């Protein structure tokens, strides 16, 4: 009787569980039994592993073979266990030393010819292995850079099972033929989920560091001074934003430029975002680390499962998780189903989403900055003078009521985007500030907030509880009087008052005030309610236009 064991990792959402892969050989009729709650794709690994071992030049044991995946109570899915199963079988057959593989974690799919194919979720799998105490990991060669992001772990990238056997037996490592020149590597197909459109205008895309310099610039937005200020406040304090206005006013244009003014992700945040995108199959090959805030803009026909996560068996990350530490833009927000929109209320408060299915309960990260864009009515011309809106009042009320009160109560900034005036469109007042200038100011405001919150578990103003703002970090004397009056009149809820305080602190950080003053609170109230209160907007100098102007009608 022969016995050997090694380790692999089972993913439950974006968290990993180290699984011990045990192989046992007994005399008897040759058979291969796989136990331990495997799914269909894992059961099929019996044929893949057998063919890969034989085509790698090793001998398949002609005995009764039982492979167990422990703990047996954890559901296991996917083809990432193939490499560990094959090596455990070879260890039980004494083709490799069982002691040499006992402390190794192996992740990878096997082709019938013995090549090791990459799988999704390498980063969270290696993170789980490191947290459990394992220090040596074997992964496919194409994902070795992603696995190497985890500190304190020795990563071995292999191209085939033949190479791994040679390394484990101290034999000369054979050379494997590289993929055909001039063609994409077919092995990378296992990293991307078909239909996600990565690299071609995908709904969820992650920007790498430095890409924002070539992307859309905030200076391209004509006019919209209040909306630009709201965008800056949203980025500085991580506040949720709603843009309402007629079609063509620039709502989508503004939202698409928000990720570029967000600060770069920290190392920990990058690992969190990369883990989610790796599990979801959204991590582009050759970019092992997401260094900038992601941007996710699902279509308004998206279901609740696609927004918050779901699917058959164990839930997969949805749009709220793909936008983790980034921007979730819901264009034409009233066109989303009410059920899908109300499902966002929990992650907006908690920063994560808990999805329960028959196969288990999964906790997915979902700390995102939400941007809603909405028209005033179905035709979009309700707020335009003389535009001929023919929508009945009852239709307009039903249309606007699709955004529920509890959801809007969680939105800190509500801005009416006015139609662009001719002078702004033709650039007669100068261009607005470019992205780089606004991003630098946002970074300074974030630094002030981080210094103030250094000894706390919070990193942005939007995360600070209301009682802390009312007791520990108080506004200037008398500054809260307008907000308190609105609370007494029922115009503000208790949650709304807390959110006004958070926005006021962000405005104070942007203007350099030590604490919110009366103007900061008044402007925060105006940005939340959309009602003009006479608060002065911060002065931003327009950028002069170049000497050579395009002809009238050209782009501004």
């Amino acid at each position: 009787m022969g016995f050997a064991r090694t380790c692999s990792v089972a993913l439950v959402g974006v968290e990993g569980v180290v699984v011990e892969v045990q192989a046992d050989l007994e005399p008897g009729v040759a058979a291969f039994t796989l136990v331990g709650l495997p799914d269909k794709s894992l059961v099929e690994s019996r044929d893949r592993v057998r063919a890969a071992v034989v085509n790698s030049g090793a001998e398949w044991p002609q005995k009764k073979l039982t492979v167990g995946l422990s703990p047996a109570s954890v559901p296991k899915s996917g083809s990432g266990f193939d490499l560990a199963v094959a090596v455990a079988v070879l260890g039980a057959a004494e083709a490799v030393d069982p002691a040499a593989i006992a402390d190794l974690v192996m992740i990878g799919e096997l082709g019938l010819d013995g090549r090791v194919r990459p799988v999704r979720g390498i980063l969270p799998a290696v993170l789980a292995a490191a947290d459990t105490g394992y220090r040596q990991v074997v992964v496919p060669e194409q994902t070795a850079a992603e696995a190497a992001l985890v500190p304190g772990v020795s990563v071995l990238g292999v191209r085939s099972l033949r190479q791994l056997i040679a390394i484990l037996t101290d034999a000369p490592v054979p050379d494997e033929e590289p993929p055909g020149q001039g063609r994409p590597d077919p092995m990378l197909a296992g990293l991307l989920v078909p239909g996600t459109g990565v690299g071609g205008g995908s709904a969820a895309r992650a920007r790498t560091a430095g890409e924002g310099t070539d992307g859309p610039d905030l200076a391209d937005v004509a006019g919209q001074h209040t909306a630009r200020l709201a965008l800056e406040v949203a980025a500085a304090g991580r506040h949720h934003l709603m843009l309402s206005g007629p079609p063509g006013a620039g709502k989508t244009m503004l939202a698409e430029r928000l990720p570029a003014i967000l600060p770069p992700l920290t190392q920990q945040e990058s690992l969190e975002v990369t883990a989610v995108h790796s599990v979801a199959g959204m991590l582009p090959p050759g970019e092992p680390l997401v260094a900038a805030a992601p941007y996710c803009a699902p279509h308004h026909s998206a279901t609740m499962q696609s927004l918050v996560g779901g699917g058959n068996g164990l839930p997969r990350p949805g749009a709220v998780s793909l936008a983790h530490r980034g921007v979730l833009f819901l264009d034409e927000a009233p066109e989303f189903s009410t059920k899908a929109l109300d499902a966002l209320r929990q992650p907006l408060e908690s920063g994560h989403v808990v999805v329960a299915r028959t196969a288990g309960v999964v906790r997915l990260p979902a700390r995102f900055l939400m941007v809603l864009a909405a028209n005033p009515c179905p035709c979009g011309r309700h707020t335009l003078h003389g535009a001929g809106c023919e929508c009945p009042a009852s239709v307009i009320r039903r249309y606007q009521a699709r955004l529920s009160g509890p959801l809007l109560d969680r939105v800190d900034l509500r801005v009416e985007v006015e139609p662009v005036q001719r002078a702004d469109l033709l650039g007669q007042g100068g261009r607005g500030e470019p992205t780089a200038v606004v991003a630098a100011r946002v970074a300074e405001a974030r630094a002030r907030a981080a210094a103030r919150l250094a000894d706390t578990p919070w990193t942005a103003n939007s995360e600070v509880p209301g009682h802390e703002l009312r007791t520990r970090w108080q506004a200037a004397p008398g500054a809260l009087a307008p907000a308190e009056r609105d609370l007494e009149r029922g115009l503000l809820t208790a949650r709304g008052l807390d959110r006004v305080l958070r926005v006021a602190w962000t405005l104070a950080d942007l203007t350099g005030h030590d604490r919110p003053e009366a103007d900061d609170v008044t402007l925060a109230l105006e940005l939340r309610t959309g009602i003009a209160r006479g608060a002065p907007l911060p002065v931003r100098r327009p950028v002069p236009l170049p000497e050579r102007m395009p002809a009238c009608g050209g782009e501004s």
Side-chain angles (χ1 to χ4, degrees):
M1 182 181 71
F3 176 83
R5 63 182 179 87
T6 188
C7 294
S8 190
V9 179
L11 289 177
V12 182
V14 294
E15 299 177 353
V17 178
V18 175
V19 174
E20 189 176 84
V21 181
Q22 305 169 346
D24 178 72
L25 285 175
E26 297 179 359
V29 178
F32 189 170
T33 304
L34 184 63
V35 298
L37 211 57
D39 71 345
K40 179 65 175 177
S41 61
L42 188 49
V43 169
E44 293 175 349
S45 68
R46 296 180 300 184
D47 299 322
R48 291 195 301 269
V49 168
R50 183 187 292 108
V53 169
V54 173
N55 291 329
S56 297
E59 183 178 353
W60 184 261
Q62 298 300 319
K63 295 181 180 181
K64 181 181 178 182
L65 171 62
T66 303
V67 174
L69 307 175
S70 178
S73 59
V74 177
K76 303 163 189 73
S77 61
S79 55
F81 293 88
D82 289 2
L83 190 60
V85 171
V87 173
V89 171
L90 292 175
E94 297 183 352
V96 298
D97 184 8
I101 63 175
D103 293 328
L104 291 180
V105 175
M106 304 185 187
I107 308 164
E109 176 186 336
L110 287 176
L112 299 183
D113 56 354
R115 290 183 298 171
V116 181
R117 301 181 63 92
V119 294
R120 298 188 296 271
I122 288 292
L123 178 59
V126 178
L127 283 171
D131 291 341
T132 313
Y134 291 90
R135 292 294 175 261
Q136 293 181 312
V137 179
V138 180
V139 298
E141 186 180 54
Q142 292 86 348
T143 58
E146 181 181 346
L149 296 174
V150 182
V153 175
S154 175
V155 178
L156 173 62
V158 294
R159 191 175 295 176
S160 67
L161 179 61
R162 187 182 301 108
Q163 286 185 338
L164 181 56
I165 294 174
I167 293 173
L168 293 174
T169 57
D170 293 330
V173 179
D175 293 330
E176 298 291 344
E177 295 182 2
Q181 299 295 329
R183 294 180 298 172
D185 189 353
M187 305 291 282
L188 298 177
L191 294 178
L192 301 179
V193 173
T196 54
V198 173
S202 61
R205 64 180 182 268
R207 301 176 299 112
T208 55
E211 184 181 337
T213 57
D214 299 328
D217 199 300
L218 199 58
D220 299 333
V221 180
Q224 306 299 357
H225 304 292
T226 303
R228 290 170 59 97
L229 173 63
L231 214 67
E232 184 177 338
V233 173
R238 203 180 292 161
H239 303 287
H240 305 304
L241 170 66
M242 179 176 176
L243 302 172
S244 58
K251 301 186 294 295
T252 304
M253 193 176 186
L254 286 162
E256 289 177 343
R257 284 153 177 76
L258 178 56
I261 64 175
L262 290 174
L265 300 179
T266 64
Q267 181 68 19
Q268 180 61 34
E269 291 172 345
S270 295
L271 291 177
E272 294 175 5
V273 174
T274 304
V276 175
H277 283 245
S278 178
V279 170
M282 303 289 293
L283 193 63
E287 297 180 9
L289 185 66
V290 179
Y295 174 84
C296 186
H299 191 259
H300 59 75
S301 61
T303 62
M304 184 183 71
Q305 289 76 14
S306 66
L307 281 180
V308 302
N312 297 327
L314 286 174
R316 298 183 63 83
V320 297
S321 296
L322 295 175
H324 180 59
R325 301 294 182 184
V327 177
L328 176 67
F329 177 47
L330 302 182
D331 199 5
E332 306 294 345
E335 300 295 342
F336 283 79
S337 70
T338 304
K339 185 178 180 181
L341 289 174
D342 286 340
L344 300 176
R345 286 149 60 175
Q346 181 215 358
L348 284 175
E349 286 291 329
S350 62
H352 64 267
V353 59
V354 179
V355 184
R357 294 292 185 269
T358 55
V361 179
V362 172
R363 185 179 185 271
L364 301 170
R367 189 170 296 280
F368 55 89
L369 196 165
M370 182 180 68
V371 180
L372 302 175
N375 294 327
C377 67
C379 75
R381 300 191 297 270
H382 177 61
T383 56
L384 297 178
H385 299 291
C389 174
E390 299 178 354
C391 299
S394 59
V395 173
I396 296 176
R397 284 196 300 269
R398 284 197 301 269
Y399 182 79
Q400 296 177 350
R402 293 180 183 177
L403 299 176
S404 65
L407 176 65
L408 292 180
D409 199 33
R410 291 166 168 81
V411 178
D412 302 338
L413 310 170
R414 306 175 194 175
V415 178
E416 185 72 26
V417 182
E418 300 290 343
V420 182
Q421 302 299 320
R422 178 179 179 273
D424 292 327
L425 192 60
L426 297 180
Q428 296 176 2
R431 300 182 72 193
E433 291 179 313
T435 295
V437 174
V438 179
R441 197 158 53 236
V442 168
E444 292 178 3
R446 284 282 187 101
R448 292 191 186 99
R452 183 172 63 253
L453 305 173
D455 298 329
T456 69
W458 314 295
T459 57
N461 290 325
S462 62
E463 302 173 4
V464 183
H467 68 88
E468 295 285 345
L469 294 177
R470 293 189 297 270
T471 58
R472 186 172 178 180
W473 295 292
Q474 297 181 358
L480 289 179
E484 293 171 351
R485 286 196 299 267
D486 284 1
L487 180 65
E488 293 174 355
R489 295 170 183 172
L491 301 178
L492 273 182
T493 63
R495 180 194 289 125
L497 178 62
D498 291 344
R499 291 184 176 275
V500 167
L501 274 173
R502 294 168 184 168
V503 175
W505 268 107
T506 300
L507 288 168
D509 290 334
L510 284 170
T511 54
H513 297 160
D514 293 334
R515 55 180 177 173
E517 300 179 356
D519 288 344
D520 298 324
V521 176
T522 303
L523 183 54
L525 277 170
E526 183 174 326
L527 291 174
R528 177 173 178 81
T529 61
I531 301 174
R533 298 168 182 263
L537 296 179
V539 177
R540 307 293 190 222
R541 294 183 178 179
V543 178
L545 289 170
E547 295 181 1
R548 294 185 179 181
M549 290 288 296
C552 283
E555 293 183 356
S556 60

